[in-house]
Amino acid sequence: MIRLHSIRREMTPLLRLAVPIVMGEVGWMSMNFVDIAMIGRVGPTALAAVSLGSAVFIVFAIVCEGMMMGSDAMVSQDFGAGRLEECFRTLWAGAQLALPLGLGCALLVAASSQLLVPFGIAPEIVHQTIPFLYAMACGLPALMGFVAMRVFLQGTHRVRVVAFAMVSANLVNLAGNYALIYGHWGMPRLGATGSGVSTALARLYMMCVLLGTMIWLNRRERWRLGRYAGRFYWERMAAIVRRGSPAAAQIALEVGVFSAATLIAGRLGAVAVSGHQIALLMASLTFMVPLGVAQATSVRVGNAIGRRDAEAAEVSGWSGMALSASFMSCSAIVLWTLPLPIVHIFTYDPEVDKVAVSLLAIAAVFQFFDGVQVTAIGALRGSGNTRIAMITDFVGWWLIGLPLGAWLCFARGWGVRGLWFGLSAGLISIGCVLAVAWRRRVEWLRRELGSATRTP
């Protein structure tokens, strides 16, 4: 049984690792936040186009990222066991996998844009969404290269540069949006397309920052990374894909359900999809904090397993969930009490305001469970188990949440609020199941690793 002092002791190293990752994740989400805020000034149609385009793009991007996260537990466990050369091999395997994965998904993003018209999206929205998607697709290979280096750096506790890259990329994106959305500094006024071009350039910048850091670390630490680059690590790439496929599927199921909800909201008109996107953006922004904590928890759990310390892995998992749940409880209070000032960051349209405010109240209800489920996924991933989250997400999102939401939306006439009620029910069930799954995983770890004592 875990004692309270064990969790208090774990909080310091967990926070030291988590805070830069959280800053990076918030910086990552801030790009979309800035995009929506700036494109919202152009009008509801442009806002709906960027919202729908982002919903389609994020499915492919997050699946690619989830696949690359298959190397997460490999790096963190090898680092915990002191096998740094194995970490280098995994880094190269991830880099070799990143380029073809990014190019393949970029082609799929471009092709998917042609499905918007048959789905019933308004033509004026589709007209602006398609070039936005083309621009976003161009940034996918660079994004995958960034993720490959990011996993290595986080797994070896070098997280500050990741945070710097993701936060500073917002300045690149902000300047690009200002120039390309509105046509300032002699640039053409591209509207929604300009937002996509700006985001792609920001992701190229992020990759270059990490690449420069890796070159500098290679010289300073005398890693001699070049000697690992002479061959393809087929077996290691296969291991990344094998571990990453369930994680990618789990992320696709989760992100995909919100993308599907956005497409459904698109059938209700520009006002509904704009209000939906504002509420979803705020829920996603608060989600970035437990997502960062989840990544830190995954690393801590993996390091502990590399040391064959089951108790430390258990403490890291529960500590991460406690930290995420505490933050999300506070964010729920903010969303519940200050919805209108939040909505006015994006728009003053009274019809959009009404929809977004009602959805933020629903978002406040599921915040606690959202924090628990994502951190439980991180703990399970750090222990090498990515399948249970995939199964749980499929049942919770696609068999409970989305069908219930669609029924409430159309059959009961609740509109977009019905969608959110259904998704909330699915999310709450997922959070409860994954907390139990981590408890059972801990019991398995104790049997596999023995009763090793926790190292200070």
Side-chain angles (χ1 to χ4, degrees):
M1 183 175 178
I2 299 178
R3 297 182 182 275
L4 186 59
H5 72 82
S6 298
I7 292 181
R8 284 201 301 263
R9 184 169 56 178
E10 171 65 14
M11 281 297 177
T12 298
L14 179 63
L15 282 169
R16 188 181 302 120
L17 183 61
V19 168
I21 298 177
V22 168
M23 290 175 61
E25 292 296 343
V26 172
W28 173 274
M29 191 62 211
S30 294
M31 281 196 207
N32 196 27
F33 186 95
V34 169
D35 288 343
I36 296 298
M38 297 183 76
I39 202 69
R41 308 300 177 185
V42 177
T45 302
L47 176 58
V50 171
S51 300
L52 289 171
S54 298
V56 172
F57 173 82
I58 197 66
V59 173
F60 295 96
I62 214 73
V63 167
C64 287
E65 183 175 359
M67 190 72 73
M68 298 299 298
M69 293 301 285
S71 61
D72 189 358
M74 296 167 65
V75 172
S76 59
Q77 290 181 18
D78 283 333
F79 185 72
R83 299 187 294 264
L84 191 58
E85 290 187 356
E86 295 300 308
C87 297
F88 295 152
R89 293 186 177 94
T90 302
L91 168 65
W92 274 111
Q96 291 163 358
L97 185 62
L99 182 60
L101 192 63
L103 287 173
C105 281
L107 293 175
L108 290 175
V109 168
S112 68
S113 65
Q114 304 305 313
L115 300 177
L116 295 174
V117 172
F119 196 81
I121 306 300
E124 64 272 15
I125 298 177
V126 173
H127 179 71
Q128 297 189 42
T129 302
I130 290 177
F132 170 81
L133 275 173
Y134 287 165
M136 293 286 283
C138 292
L140 255 177
L143 179 60
M144 291 305 102
F146 167 80
V147 172
M149 292 181 282
R150 169 188 169 183
V151 170
F152 170 81
L153 291 167
Q154 288 183 176
T156 56
H157 292 208
R158 294 171 171 87
V159 293
R160 292 183 179 178
V161 66
V162 178
F164 170 79
M166 296 172 80
V167 172
S168 60
N170 279 273
L171 299 177
V172 176
N173 188 47
L174 180 66
N177 277 339
Y178 182 75
L180 295 172
I181 291 177
Y182 306 127
H184 293 301
W185 301 334
M187 303 300 291
R189 181 185 173 92
L190 299 178
T193 305
S195 175
V197 173
S198 177
T199 301
L201 291 174
R203 284 168 179 165
L204 177 62
Y205 161 82
M206 288 161 54
M207 186 196 73
C208 291
V209 170
L210 291 200
L211 182 60
T213 300
M214 293 298 299
I215 294 171
W216 177 72
L217 285 172
N218 184 50
R219 292 178 178 176
R220 193 190 71 169
E221 304 290 338
R222 298 181 181 178
W223 285 344
R224 294 164 53 186
L225 288 175
R227 65 179 176 171
Y228 299 96
R231 65 186 182 91
F232 284 93
Y233 296 93
W234 299 111
E235 292 185 3
R236 204 166 289 254
M237 280 191 277
I240 293 174
V241 172
R242 189 167 55 252
R243 292 188 178 210
S245 295
Q250 174 267 315
I251 295 171
L253 288 169
E254 181 171 353
V255 174
V257 78
F258 282 101
S259 295
T262 301
L263 291 172
I264 292 173
R267 298 177 67 119
L268 302 174
V271 170
V273 76
S274 297
H276 164 83
Q277 184 61 26
I278 290 171
L280 181 58
L281 181 59
M282 289 308 305
S284 300
L285 186 61
T286 61
F287 177 76
M288 290 301 106
V289 174
L291 179 60
V293 173
Q295 293 182 43
T297 301
S298 179
V299 171
R300 292 289 296 172
V301 169
N303 291 165
I305 292 174
R307 300 192 306 268
R308 301 192 61 81
D309 190 342
E311 183 183 348
E314 179 182 12
V315 171
S316 295
W318 289 121
S319 298
M321 276 184 260
L323 186 60
S324 293
S326 298
F327 171 82
M328 293 298 266
S329 298
C330 295
S331 70
I333 295 172
V334 174
L335 294 180
W336 184 269
T337 57
L338 299 172
L340 194 57
I342 291 172
V343 174
H344 282 172
I345 296 173
F346 306 95
T347 181
Y348 286 94
D349 186 301
E351 293 185 358
V352 176
D353 287 354
K354 183 179 179 181
V355 173
V357 166
S358 67
L359 298 183
L360 285 176
I362 301 172
V365 174
F366 64 67
Q367 292 289 288
F368 175 89
F369 299 93
D370 208 7
V372 170
Q373 66 92 15
V374 70
T375 314
I377 289 173
L380 289 164
R381 187 176 67 242
S383 73
N385 187 329
T386 54
R387 294 183 183 276
I388 183 62
M390 177 187 67
I391 296 170
T392 304
D393 271 21
F394 174 72
V395 174
W397 290 124
W398 292 91
L399 299 185
I400 298 175
L402 192 61
L404 177 60
W407 179 74
L408 292 173
C409 176
F410 296 111
R412 302 298 297 173
W414 291 13
V416 72
R417 288 180 299 168
L419 266 179
W420 277 64
F421 276 119
L423 295 176
S424 297
L427 178 54
I428 290 169
S429 66
I430 290 169
C432 295
V433 170
L434 288 177
V436 174
W438 172 243
R439 180 181 176 183
R440 293 185 175 179
R441 185 65 172 174
V442 165
E443 294 172 356
W444 179 85
L445 288 174
R446 287 188 177 278
R447 292 193 299 270
E448 289 293 311
L449 303 181
S451 56
T453 56
R454 187 176 189 272
T455 54

